Each structure stands twice: as C-alpha cells, then as structure tokens.
C-alpha cells in the first residue's frame, strides 16, 4: 500500500519513469505484428499462386564462358507438357505458358496489362482460378489458336468501364480477339502486383499471332502436383521424363529447371524471421533504456525520501520491508508501463493495417514475453535502488535535510 500511495502521489514522475517501458513494449508488439503479418501475407500469396504449384523453365544458354540465365534456350514445348500430364502419376494438371507484352485496345482506349499470357486448357486447375462470367477456352480453341481471351476485372475497369465485356472485340497488338470470359477478382499479391490486370489467351494464339518466332516452344510449364506431399515425387518424375524426352545422356546437365514454390515460401519466411528479429532487437534496446530510466528515477526517489525511510525504520520497519517497498514500486511501474505499451502496440498495428498496404498479425506470445520482460526489468533495474534504501542508517536518515 505504501508503494502504491507513493506512485499515486508522484503521478507525473511515475509517468516519466514508465515512458521508456511503454515505448519499448509498444515497439516490440508493433514490430513483431508487422513481421508476422508480412510472413503470413507472403505465405498466402504463394499458396494462392496455384494448386501445389511447380514451374518447369527452359535451361540456360552459355557462350564465351558466360551463362545467360534460365529460359534463354528453347527446350520446352507443349508436347512436353502433355507428356508430363499423361506419364507422371504425381501430376494433376499441366499448362504451357507463353508471355507477351502487348497493349490491349478497345475503341479509343488502350492499356498495357501487367500480364498478357497464352495458357492451356488446364491453367484454371493449375492456378486455382474461378470465372465470374462467361467461359474458358475449349481444347479445340487451344489446338487451332482461336482468337479468344479471358480478362481480369482490373483490365475491364480500365477499358470497358460500364460496358459488358463478354462478347466485345478487343485488339491485342495487331490481332482482333473476342472476350469470352471474366475472371473472379484475385487482388494484389504480396509484392503489390495487381493480379486482375491480366489478359489470357490460348497459348497457341499468343505464339502464332503475338510473339511468333517460327518455333513452337513455350516460355515455361506450370504444373500442379496431386498434393503438397507429392511435390518432391512429382519433381523427380518430371526430371526423369524430360531427360528421356530431350535425349540427355548420363552425366550431362539438364536443359530445363524444375522449381518448387515451397522453396520460395521457406526463403521468404526465413527472410521475414531475420527482419522481425532485427526489428525486435532494436525495440528491445528501447526496453533496456526504459529499465535504466526506472533505475535512475528510483535512485532519485530514494534520495528524496531518505527522511521517510529513517522514520519508517525508527518505528520498527526492517531492512527487508524497505527493500520490498521500493522493489514493489519498480515492478508496478514496469508492469503498468508494459500493459500501456501493449495497448499502444495493438492500436498501432490496427492503424498500420488500415492505412497502409502492410498486413499485421498480432502475436499473443510476443505480448506475454513483453510483459515478462518488463517485469524482469522492473526487478533487475529496481533492485539496486531498493537495496541501497534498505542499507541506509536510520540515524543518518533522520538527520537528512
């Protein structure tokens, strides 16, 4: 009771004492929530990229002792994709992908979408897409290179505005194409790319009319495994089949690359863990500064209350009673500061989530650790002033002016 009365009597000083702890705890809670939110958003974005997704890229070309990177040689065809779908038991579906960078023109408006892709019939299964209106390509349209396309909602807003897009004819590059379908809205991915700013055509249409090279190669193959557990097995089956199809001899390097999105997921998770640890360490330094502030203020308090300490000892208070009095003050200040800091951290996380594109995810564990750490700081940094107070000579204290 004596400790609490002292805190209430010196409200302004108590508030200043808690300030460092409040800032430190609020920083820890906010930084951890941002880190966890970013990690979760990245995981969700990668998961939304497709259904247990793998990509098969062409190999890398090399000349003059220099490698030119994956995708610089034409080693993949749509026939490779059909063979994978037919002969690999761990594969659910496969779609070729051919990319173009072309403007889409409708009447007097034109727009260059983020993505103009030529894809196969099974692309919706591979990427787990849904149609809002219209229909998808038929196998016959893909085989003949029909001039049809499916568009995303952002592209519709840019070009058609209040018009119904289904059945309209647009020009992509120099090719007239009919809009036959509209995709469900997907939103932006973790990197801020609008996934609805897209036009999709049969891959053969893009290869023959938009980016004709004279070859029937594709830029990559998108592959869906039957389950997440089957991904490693699917990768092995694809590698074995393509080496056989491409007649690659024993000991020679593959002319393709099979990549698993779970590797990106793990890499991004590790990156955000490191970032969160770094930010939390910086916030933890604020907590230590707050602890030093508590110790300094408590030392001042002991000096100011020297006469009070002498009176209490004169009427029978023992050294341990004085020790507990000042130690209790220190712990209460640290705990109250921790609770206020958590409240501010939660509020800051909510504000950040509302006014910025960053996702946040509050961590009960980080809050519990922050409270525990602030209590430890109260004990650790408050012990020395309390011990000093308990060791004072009652006679000298009564003489103190």
């Amino acid at each position: 009771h004596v400790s609490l009365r002292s805190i209430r009597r010196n409200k302004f000083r108590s508030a200043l004492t808690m300030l460092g702890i409040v800032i430190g705890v609020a920083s820890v809670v906010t930084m951890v929530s941002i880190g966890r939110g970013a990690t979760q958003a990245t995981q969700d974005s990668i998961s939304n990229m497709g259904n247990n997704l793998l990509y098969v890229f062409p190999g890398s070309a090399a000349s003059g002792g220099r490698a030119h990177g994956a995708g610089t040689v034409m080693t993949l065809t749509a026939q490779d994709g059909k063979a994978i779908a037919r002969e690999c038991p761990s594969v659910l579906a496969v779609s070729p992908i051919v990319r173009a960078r072309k403007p889409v023109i409708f009447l007097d408006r034109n727009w260059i979408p983020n993505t103009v892709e030529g894809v196969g019939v099974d692309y919706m299964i591979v990427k787990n897409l849904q149609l809002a209106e219209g229909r998808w390509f038929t196998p016959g349209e893909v085989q003949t290179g029909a001039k049809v396309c499916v568009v995303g909602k952002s592209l519709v807003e840019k070009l058609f505005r209040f018009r119904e897009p289904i059945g309209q004819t647009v020009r992509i590059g120099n090719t007239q194409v009919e809009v036959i379908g509209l995709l469900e809205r997907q939103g932006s991915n973790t990197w801020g790319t609008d996934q609805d700013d897209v036009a999709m055509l049969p891959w053969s249409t893009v290869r023959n009319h938009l980016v004709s090279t004279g070859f029937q190669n594709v830029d990559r193959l998108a592959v869906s495994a039957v389950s997440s557990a089957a991904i490693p097995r699917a990768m092995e089956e694809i590698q074995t089949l393509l080496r056989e199809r491409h007649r690659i001899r024993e000991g020679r390097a593959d002319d393709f690359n099979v990549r698993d999105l779970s590797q990106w997921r793990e890499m991004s998770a590790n990156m955000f863990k490191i970032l969160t640890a770094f930010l939390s360490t910086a916030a933890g330094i604020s907590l230590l500064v707050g602890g030093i502030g508590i110790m300094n203020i408590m030392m001042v308090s002991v000096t100011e209350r020297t006469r009070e300490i002498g009176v209490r000892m004169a009427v029978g208070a023992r050294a341990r009673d004085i020790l507990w009095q000042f130690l209790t003050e220190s712990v209460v200040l640290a705990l109250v500061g921790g609770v206020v800091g958590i409240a501010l951290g939660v509020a800051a996380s909510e504000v950040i989530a509302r006014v910025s594109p960053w996702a946040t995810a509050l961590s009960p564990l980080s809050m519990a650790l922050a409270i525990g750490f602030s209590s430890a700081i109260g004990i650790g940094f408050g012990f020395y002033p309390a011990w000093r107070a308990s060791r004072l000579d009652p006679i000298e204290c009564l003489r103190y002016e």
Side-chain angles (χ1 to χ4, degrees):
H1 296 301
V2 174
S3 302
L4 297 178
R5 278 203 307 271
S6 175
I7 292 172
R8 284 197 299 268
R9 192 167 59 241
N10 300 284
K11 294 184 180 67
F12 184 68
R13 186 173 68 188
S14 299
L16 288 178
T17 305
M18 290 187 292
L19 188 59
I21 297 292
V22 170
I23 293 172
V25 171
S27 300
V28 169
V29 171
T30 305
M31 293 302 104
V32 171
S33 71
I34 290 173
R36 288 183 78 242
T39 303
Q40 187 61 51
T42 303
Q43 305 298 323
D44 292 344
S45 179
I46 291 174
S47 297
N48 291 337
M49 282 182 177
N51 195 11
N52 303 315
L53 189 60
L54 298 167
Y55 279 117
V56 185
F57 292 92
S60 57
S63 62
R66 289 189 303 172
H68 297 286
T72 49
V73 293
M74 294 178 290
T75 57
L76 288 180
T77 65
Q79 296 305 316
D80 287 329
K82 288 182 179 179
I84 291 170
R86 185 174 62 247
E87 299 181 34
C88 296
S90 300
V91 169
L92 176 67
V94 182
S95 171
I97 297 177
V98 180
R99 290 203 152 193
R101 183 70 174 169
K102 299 288 183 179
V104 181
I105 302 166
F106 177 69
L107 301 179
D108 60 341
R109 291 185 290 277
N110 71 83
W111 182 256
I112 300 178
N114 286 332
T115 307
V116 175
E117 274 185 338
V119 298
V121 174
D122 288 338
Y123 190 72
M124 287 190 71
I125 299 172
V126 174
K127 294 284 281 184
N128 200 21
L129 298 175
Q130 301 293 328
L131 283 174
E133 296 178 42
R135 64 177 182 86
W136 190 248
F137 320 127
T138 65
E141 287 170 333
V142 173
Q143 188 171 359
T144 59
K147 296 175 182 178
V148 292
C149 74
V150 174
V151 295
K153 290 196 173 182
S154 293
L155 182 58
V156 169
E157 290 163 4
K158 299 290 184 185
L159 289 183
F160 299 100
R161 296 183 184 172
F162 302 108
R163 290 174 180 264
E164 171 61 37
I166 307 300
Q168 302 286 357
T169 298
V170 299
R171 185 155 56 91
I172 303 179
N174 295 316
T175 304
Q176 299 289 331
V177 178
E178 181 188 354
V179 178
I180 62 170
L182 174 63
L183 292 169
E184 285 280 6
R185 190 175 294 280
Q186 301 176 75
S188 298
N189 62 21
T190 306
W191 299 278
T193 303
D194 186 356
Q195 299 178 99
D196 300 304
D197 190 14
V198 58
M200 294 181 181
L201 301 84
W203 73 267
S204 49
T205 306
V206 174
R207 173 55 70 213
N208 294 334
H209 298 286
L210 300 185
V211 287
S212 180
T213 61
F215 298 94
Q216 286 299 298
N217 66 296
V218 297
D219 294 336
R220 54 181 165 168
L221 298 172
V223 180
S224 175
V226 292
S227 68
S228 57
I231 287 175
R233 191 164 64 251
M235 293 176 72
E236 292 178 10
E237 292 169 359
I238 292 168
Q239 186 175 26
T240 301
L241 176 64
L242 289 184
R243 284 184 66 86
E244 181 183 322
R245 284 181 59 82
H246 295 184
R247 296 182 175 83
I248 300 172
R249 293 194 299 271
E250 187 75 28
R252 298 292 296 272
D254 296 339
D255 62 355
F256 57 89
N257 294 290
V258 185
R259 296 182 188 170
D260 173 13
L261 282 188
S262 67
Q263 296 171 348
W264 300 356
R265 186 183 292 114
E266 291 170 9
M267 183 175 66
S268 65
N270 290 334
M271 180 183 71
F272 281 118
K273 281 179 183 176
I274 293 169
L275 179 61
T276 302
F278 173 76
L279 294 174
S280 299
T281 300
I285 292 171
S286 298
L287 276 174
L288 288 176
V289 172
I292 293 170
I294 286 179
M295 184 171 67
N296 289 336
I297 296 294
M298 292 303 296
M299 289 294 291
V300 171
S301 179
V302 169
T303 303
E304 287 180 349
R305 295 158 63 188
T306 299
R307 191 172 181 83
E308 175 195 327
I309 294 167
V311 171
R312 290 201 66 209
M313 286 183 169
V315 296
R318 292 165 294 181
R320 67 181 181 186
D321 296 326
I322 304 299
L323 176 70
W324 278 111
Q325 174 190 342
F326 283 90
L327 195 56
T328 301
E329 285 185 33
S330 176
V331 172
V332 168
L333 288 171
L335 272 175
V336 173
V339 171
V340 174
I342 285 176
L344 287 177
V346 170
S349 299
E350 291 296 326
V351 170
I352 288 169
R354 289 175 184 274
V355 304
S356 75
W358 299 346
T360 60
L362 292 168
S363 167
L365 178 61
S366 71
M367 296 183 199
L369 288 175
I371 284 288
F373 197 35
S374 61
S375 301
I377 282 176
I379 295 170
F381 285 90
F383 182 80
Y384 178 69
W387 179 81
R388 279 282 304 272
S390 70
R391 304 298 293 176
L392 291 174
D393 185 344
I395 298 173
E396 293 297 326
C397 289
L398 292 170
R399 288 177 181 170
Y400 187 82
E401 293 295 335

